[in-house]
Amino acid sequence: MTTTTIRWRLHDPDANETWTMPINPNTMTSPHPQKNLRTAYGIRRGTDRIRTFKTPEEIVTWEWGGVIRSQEHYDELVRWSRKTGEVHVTDHFGRTWVVVFEKFAPTDRVPTANVPWRLQYTMRSMILREV
């Protein structure tokens, strides 16, 4: 039985262009909003009931990152991180999120003879919605 790795894809609906990442990110935060539950005591006469209610969800900041092993990979991440409009990001589970990129942070690693382009990166974005 063979398994196929699903590659992350970035899609710009305005320019109608799609880029498939050569190496998937190896870290990511949860793209789902955290439930903000608040607890308050009821003020009914004779009873002190605890009430829990959900506050409105906030915009989720989503971070993901990994390794870069080529100049083309680096150049494409820089280019996509500079896009000002909405970008659709499809992850390895096939989920698609509409995001706006906030920050691309590459970090140099010591190159080797076999891997002259050796960087780690983090991409931070705001999730606007799930498609």
Side-chain angles (χ1 to χ4, degrees):
M1 181 176 149
T2 60
T3 59
T4 303
T5 302
I6 299 173
R7 295 280 174 218
W8 281 47
R9 288 185 322 275
L10 305 180
H11 176 71
D12 181 352
D14 294 334
N16 196 22
E17 74 173 305
T18 301
W19 176 60
T20 302
M21 298 178 70
I23 302 173
N24 282 351
N26 57 21
T27 62
M28 73 178 201
T29 60
S30 175
H32 300 289
Q34 180 178 356
K35 289 183 180 178
N36 293 320
L37 301 178
R38 302 282 186 234
T39 302
Y41 289 98
I43 53 172
R44 293 181 100 178
R45 190 176 192 145
T47 62
D48 282 335
R49 292 190 299 167
I50 296 177
R51 296 183 180 166
T52 303
F53 52 94
K54 185 177 172 187
T55 60
E57 295 174 353
E58 297 177 11
I59 293 178
V60 176
T61 299
W62 187 32
E63 290 189 5
W64 43 273
V67 296
I68 298 171
R69 296 288 188 249
S70 69
Q71 182 174 357
E72 293 80 21
H73 189 181
Y74 174 80
D75 291 343
E76 283 297 310
L77 284 173
V78 168
R79 188 173 72 83
W80 281 86
S81 70
R82 291 181 177 162
K83 290 191 178 275
T84 56
E86 295 179 351
V87 174
H88 297 197
V89 178
T90 303
D91 67 8
H92 57 289
F93 293 120
R95 302 175 299 189
T96 301
W97 310 94
V98 178
V99 305
V100 174
F101 292 125
E102 292 181 336
K103 182 179 180 183
F104 171 61
T107 306
D108 284 333
R109 307 284 292 166
V110 177
T112 65
N114 294 334
V115 186
W117 272 86
R118 191 165 179 240
L119 295 98
Q120 285 188 307
Y121 72 94
T122 302
M123 184 76 80
R124 186 173 67 213
S125 59
M126 271 188 333
I127 293 181
L128 303 178
R129 65 188 175 279
E130 183 176 4
V131 177

